[in-house]
Amino acid sequence: MSLLPYSLARPFLFGLDPETAHELTIQSLARLQGTPLKWAYCNSLVEDPVELAGLAFRNRVGLAAGLDKNGRCIDGLGAMGFGFVEVGTVTPRAQPGNPKPRMFRLPQANALINRLGFNNDGLEAFIANGKRSTFRQKGGILGLNIGKNAATPIANATSDYLVCLEGVYPHADYVTVNISSPNTSNLRSLQGDEALGGLLGAIAQRREGLARQHRRHVPIFVKIAPDLDQAQVAVIAAALKRNAMDGVVATNTTISREAVKGLPHSEEAGGLSGAPLLEASNRVIAELRSALGRRFPIIGVGGIMSAEDAVSKIRAGADAVQIYTGLIYRGPQLVTDAAQALRALAREPRAQKA
Ligand SMILES: Cc1cc2nc3c(=O)[nH]c(=O)nc-3n(C[C@H](O)[C@H](O)[C@H](O)COP(=O)(O)O)c2cc1C
């Protein structure tokens, strides 16, 4: 339990514009991490060891990508009790993202809409921040999430991913290839059969060289959207296996507004996250599990606002989960609650998957 209950911080943060609140939180964490003041937000770690893609996770609850795009607070976030932390999305070159405002709260729905557009400081700064962190040395699993610059034509996307892969490879426990943000023009078209085959084939080939060079096989996960039908999920599942990918992260935010119709901000363009995403994301996880078989690692993300929601992801077929919007609405206690619930589930006889 942290010293500073989130119930005290939340009204203050929710009084600010969402992106200002976010920036303030990141800055404070970056300043406090590694100092004695970190006890203000530290949580004890729930030990629930699990092996996935050859990696030893200390528990099944991770931080989803996008909260710490530049990897500035890996240690501060890790200290909240996450078994794994994924930072990024990073692009080869720094870019400002879309014009502000570009992040909106939908409190009645426990949801957010964002159209940030991969605002980040670029690969070099990202790697430097990653190198400075000590989370991995303390047993945490660090995922580095890679993407493409907005200015790079989609036809040249592969070269951006390869540049990022080379840069992050020595510093990552796993790499996530993000092809599912709705806020970079045409990015999601990379999920189609032909484009995906081309991209993943090139990544797999480059990884072979990198594995030889660094004498280490770094698992590669692919992050997909929730706005896919069963046939599209099956096509992606086949491509993941064909190209020897090590896991899948499901899902990113949704472009659907079905679940938030009529609410203030619901018509803002961008990706919707939080509670309204749970069902769609769990459906994709279940479809992935049936297409991929029992052993293929699936990280479930989307709409976890409670320990029960985390359990629902494991029951849908995920091996581990990630959280973003739930952390904004519920605070770090959600990490502990979810990790404890998943540990209890793992200990149930004949537990877990549906
Ligand atoms: C403000 C914001 C920014 C995000 N940025 C990224 C990103 O850069 N890369 C990425 O892979 N996912 C990004 N995501 C998606 C989250 O990682 C996650 O997949 C999604 O929000 C669903 O989980 P949640 O309902 O727990 O938030 C972002 C989400 C939010 C809310």
Side-chain angles (χ1 to χ4, degrees):
M1 177 66 184
S2 59
L3 288 180
L4 180 69
Y6 189 65
S7 53
L8 291 183
R10 191 185 122 143
F12 167 70
L13 290 171
F14 273 47
L16 302 172
D17 145 79
E19 195 167 345
T20 309
H22 178 259
E23 265 308 305
L24 189 68
T25 307
I26 292 284
Q27 270 171 28
S28 314
L29 274 176
R31 245 183 250 135
L32 294 184
Q33 65 186 354
T35 75
L37 286 173
K38 71 179 180 192
W39 296 108
Y41 63 83
C42 263
N43 271 328
S44 58
L45 184 91
V46 174
E47 293 285 358
D48 175 26
V50 61
E51 194 188 306
L52 276 179
L55 301 172
F57 289 72
R58 289 178 70 180
N59 67 46
R60 294 161 202 259
V61 180
L63 175 72
L67 195 140
D68 187 4
K69 290 195 186 258
N70 296 306
R72 288 176 60 197
C73 323
I74 295 166
D75 294 338
L77 290 161
M80 290 181 186
F82 289 109
F84 61 116
V85 167
E86 188 172 317
V87 294
T89 296
V90 69
T91 58
R93 282 155 281 119
Q95 60 178 27
N98 290 319
K100 295 179 184 176
R102 52 191 183 176
M103 200 166 163
F104 307 88
R105 291 188 199 98
L106 287 73
Q108 296 96 325
N110 287 316
L112 296 173
I113 290 176
N114 91 83
R115 52 169 179 271
L116 294 172
F118 293 168
N119 54 312
N120 78 103
D121 297 340
L123 186 58
E124 207 175 310
F126 186 71
I127 293 170
N129 287 337
K131 277 181 169 170
R132 260 196 299 276
S133 74
T134 59
F135 180 63
R136 294 180 73 201
Q137 288 144 34
K138 292 179 184 147
I141 295 288
L142 180 64
L144 302 182
N145 179 307
I146 61 175
K148 70 172 270 297
N149 278 112
T152 304
I154 199 71
N156 301 343
T158 299
S159 66
D160 273 15
Y161 284 101
L162 293 179
V163 167
C164 287
L165 179 65
E166 282 207 5
V168 303
Y169 194 93
H171 312 290
D173 290 305
Y174 71 86
V175 176
T176 298
V177 177
N178 180 10
I179 49 169
S180 48
S181 166
N183 303 316
T184 295
S185 179
N186 292 325
L187 193 79
R188 289 178 167 209
S189 69
L190 296 173
Q191 296 175 122
D193 198 14
E194 205 177 316
L196 187 59
L199 174 65
L200 297 188
I203 285 177
Q205 193 181 9
R206 184 63 56 93
R207 191 252 303 262
E208 272 183 33
L210 289 165
R212 269 196 304 275
Q213 185 187 339
H214 297 285
R215 295 200 176 87
R216 189 163 70 94
H217 171 97
V218 175
I220 299 181
F221 297 168
V222 179
K223 184 161 178 181
I224 68 168
D227 309 306
L228 299 163
D229 63 27
Q230 194 167 1
Q232 291 169 309
V233 171
V235 163
I236 291 172
L240 294 174
K241 284 198 146 175
R242 206 169 50 240
N243 292 289
M245 292 293 112
D246 302 273
V248 56
V249 183
T251 67
N252 215 310
T253 56
T254 179
I255 54 171
S256 166
R257 295 294 185 268
E258 204 61 40
V260 293
K261 258 188 198 153
L263 293 180
H265 299 308
S266 63
E267 296 305 317
E268 293 290 350
L272 174 71
S273 60
L277 181 56
L278 183 73
E279 215 179 291
S281 139
N282 284 3
R283 174 190 57 79
V284 170
I285 291 166
E287 290 171 1
L288 280 170
R289 180 53 72 205
S290 80
L292 289 165
R294 282 171 60 92
R295 298 184 63 85
F296 197 92
I298 299 177
I299 311 288
V301 50
I304 296 179
M305 313 303 287
S306 67
E308 295 72 40
D309 295 338
V311 167
S312 79
K313 289 237 180 286
I314 303 293
R315 291 202 192 280
D319 299 293
V321 303
Q322 289 177 333
I323 298 173
Y324 186 148
T325 306
L327 197 62
I328 312 293
Y329 280 93
R330 304 275 182 257
Q333 185 61 36
L334 175 60
V335 182
T336 309
D337 293 349
Q340 279 172 346
L342 298 191
R343 180 174 61 184
L345 182 69
R347 286 177 179 175
E348 273 177 22
R350 282 197 321 278
Q352 305 181 25
K353 293 165 192 169

